[in-house]
C-alpha cells in the first residue's frame, strides 16, 4: 500500500514515539510493585513521546501549527495546517500495566481533517487514513462492521471517573444503551475505541466529554472506513461539544436515538 509523503512523516513520528513508550511501559511494569508507583515516571514517558512527535513533525513541516495535549496550542507561520496530537491516549491503562494505549496524530488543512494515524505499540497495530484514500490497519483496508441492529452490537464507551462531571447523565445513557445491545466495552483509550469501530471490531462508540486530540485521527478513520461520526445532536461539532457518537449508518442512527431517551423503565 503506497502512502503519501505526509502520511509517511506521521507514521514515522508515531512509530518513533511508540518505541519510546514501549521501553517505558516495560519499566512501568517493574515499578508497579514499588510503594511510590510509576506515576511520575508515566508523566515523563508521556512528555518524552510528545517531544519526539513534535520534533519529527516540525522537522518535516517547520511552519505547521500544533494542538498537543501537554503543550497546548502552538501557532506556526502556517495557520492553514494544524497537527492535533495525543502522545499517549490511555494513560491510566499505561500506568497500571494494561497494554491498551495509543498514540494519535491527525492533520487538519483549513479546518478539515485530511490525515490520521493511531498506533498501538503494545500490539504493533498501525491505523492510518487519508481523506478520500480509505482507512487501513497495517496494510489491510478497513471497513466498519455490517451489523445493523443494536441487539447484535458491541458498543464502546468511556466511563467518567473521579474529578470528572457527567456522572449522572452517563448513568442514564448507560442504562438505556445496556438494555438494547449485545455488550458494552470500556477499553480506556478513546483513540483506539474509534480505530476499533473503523476496523469493525466494535459496532459503535459514544463518549462525552472528549478532547480534539482524543478523537481527531479516529474521526477520519471511521469516515474513511465508511462509518458515521457526529456529536449527540447529529451535527459535526465534535471538537466544541466534546461529544462523539460513532458507528455504521444504522448503528449510529440507533445510538443517537437511544442516547436521547429519558431513563427507560426496563
Ligand atoms: C483518556 C482516554 C480515555 C477517555 C478519557 C480520555 P488520556 O485520554 O481516551 O479512554 O475515557 O476521557 O481523557 O488521558 O489517557 O490521554
Ligand atoms: Ca487522550
Ligand atoms: Ca494523553
Amino acid at each position: 500500500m503506497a502512502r503519501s509523503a505526509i502520511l509517511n512523516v506521521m507514521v514515522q513520528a508515531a512509530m518513533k514515539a511508540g518505541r519510546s513508550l514501549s521501553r517505558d511501559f516495560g519499566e512501568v511494569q517493574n515499578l508497579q510493585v514499588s510503594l511510590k508507583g510509576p506515576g511520575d515516571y508515566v508523566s515523563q514517558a508521556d512528555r518524552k513521546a510528545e517531544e519526539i512527535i513534535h520534533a519529527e513533525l516540525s522537522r518535516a513541516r517547520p511552519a505547521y501549527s500544533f494542538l498537543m495535549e501537554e503543550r497546548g496550542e502552538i501557532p506556526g507561520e502556517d495557520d492553514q495546517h494544524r497537527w492535533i496530537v495525543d502522545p499517549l491516549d490511555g494513560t491510566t491503562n499505561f500506568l497500571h500495566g494494561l497494554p491498551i494505549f495509543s498514540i494519535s496524530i491527525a492533520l487538519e488543512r483549513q479546518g478539515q481533517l485530511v490525515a490520521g494515524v493511531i498506533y498501538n505499540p503494545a500490539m504493533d497495530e498501525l491505523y492510518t487514513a487519508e481523506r478520500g484514500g480509505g482507512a487501513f490497519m497495517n496494510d489491510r483496508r478497513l471497513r466498519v462492521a455490517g451489523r445493523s441492529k443494536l441487539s447484535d452490537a458491541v458498543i464502546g464507551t468511556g466511563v467518567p471517573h473521579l474529578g470528572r462531571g457527567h456522572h449522572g447523565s452517563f448513568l442514564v445513557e448507560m442504562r438505556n444503551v445496556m438494555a438494547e445491545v449485545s455488550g458494552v466495552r470500556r477499553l480506556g483509550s478513546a483513540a483506539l475505541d474509534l480505530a476499533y469501530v473503523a476496523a469493525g471490531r466494535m459496532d459503535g462508540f459514544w463518549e462525552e466529554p472528549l478532547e480534539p486530540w482524543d478523537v481527531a485521527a479516529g474521526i477520519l478513520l471511521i469516515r474513511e472506513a465508511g462509518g458515521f461520526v457526529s456529536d449527540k445532536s447529529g451535527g459535526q461539532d465534535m471538537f466544541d461539544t466534546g461529544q462523539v457518537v460513532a458507528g455504521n449508518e444504522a448503528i449510529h442512527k440507533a445510538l443517537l436515538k437511544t442516547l436521547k431517551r429519558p431513563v427507560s423503565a426496563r
Side-chain angles (χ1 to χ4, degrees):
M1 169 206 134
R3 291 189 188 117
S4 73
I6 200 75
L7 197 59
N8 266 326
V9 166
M10 295 164 74
V11 167
Q12 291 317 316
M15 305 274 279
K16 193 164 175 190
R19 286 192 289 276
S20 171
L21 283 182
S22 289
R23 281 192 297 272
D24 288 333
F25 186 64
E27 191 54 32
V28 164
Q29 289 172 311
N30 295 331
L31 290 171
Q32 221 49 261
V33 288
S34 75
L35 200 58
K36 191 166 162 270
D40 293 345
Y41 191 85
V42 171
S43 322
Q44 269 180 45
D46 195 350
R47 277 197 296 273
K48 220 190 308 170
E50 192 171 278
E51 259 162 49
I52 292 170
I53 296 167
H54 183 259
E56 289 290 308
L57 297 179
S58 31
R59 189 157 55 90
R61 295 290 186 278
Y64 285 16
S65 306
F66 281 89
L67 172 63
M68 312 191 87
E69 180 171 14
E70 309 301 328
R71 294 180 186 206
E73 198 77 64
I74 312 172
E77 274 168 42
D78 179 346
D79 60 4
Q80 301 296 298
H81 289 93
R82 180 168 78 145
W83 302 110
I84 304 177
V85 179
D86 192 341
L88 171 55
D89 186 59
T91 323
T92 307
N93 285 345
F94 191 93
L95 178 71
H96 286 259
L98 283 165
I100 307 173
F101 56 90
S102 61
I103 291 158
S104 175
I105 306 176
L107 177 63
E108 240 183 18
R109 180 173 298 134
Q110 296 172 332
Q112 197 166 59
L113 292 166
V114 292
V117 170
I118 295 171
Y119 181 51
N120 174 354
M123 290 181 76
D124 196 24
E125 285 185 347
L126 177 72
Y127 296 85
T128 56
E130 275 188 280
R131 191 175 142 79
F136 296 82
M137 198 257 277
N138 298 334
D139 284 336
R140 186 166 64 82
R141 179 101 193 220
L142 299 181
R143 186 86 207 144
V144 288
R147 294 179 198 89
S148 57
K149 291 195 295 226
L150 275 186
S151 54
D152 295 327
V154 167
I155 305 293
T157 189
V159 182
H161 46 81
L162 180 72
R164 292 269 174 107
H166 294 265
H167 290 197
S169 55
F170 172 77
L171 285 173
V172 172
E173 290 176 355
M174 184 61 146
R175 177 75 183 80
N176 286 328
V177 173
M178 68 199 253
E180 304 265 346
V181 302
S182 158
V184 179
R185 298 289 181 272
R186 198 297 189 240
L187 300 182
S189 163
L192 275 185
D193 285 314
L194 295 172
Y196 287 180
V197 172
R201 287 177 173 172
M202 294 201 295
D203 302 283
F205 173 76
W206 95 99
E207 188 171 348
E208 173 186 16
L210 288 169
E211 299 290 342
W213 47 80
D214 298 317
V215 298
I219 289 172
L220 187 67
L221 269 157
I222 291 181
R223 285 182 187 152
E224 289 297 322
F228 287 68
V229 191
S230 72
D231 56 37
K232 286 207 300 200
S233 62
Q236 288 299 298
D237 216 358
M238 289 82 82
F239 286 3
D240 287 334
T241 60
Q243 304 165 347
V244 173
V245 182
N248 66 22
E249 188 172 10
I251 296 291
H252 174 252
K253 199 169 154 203
L255 254 185
L256 281 176
K257 197 169 154 207
T258 302
L259 291 172
K260 280 203 187 90
R261 205 176 297 150
V263 189
S264 95
R266 276 195 286 162

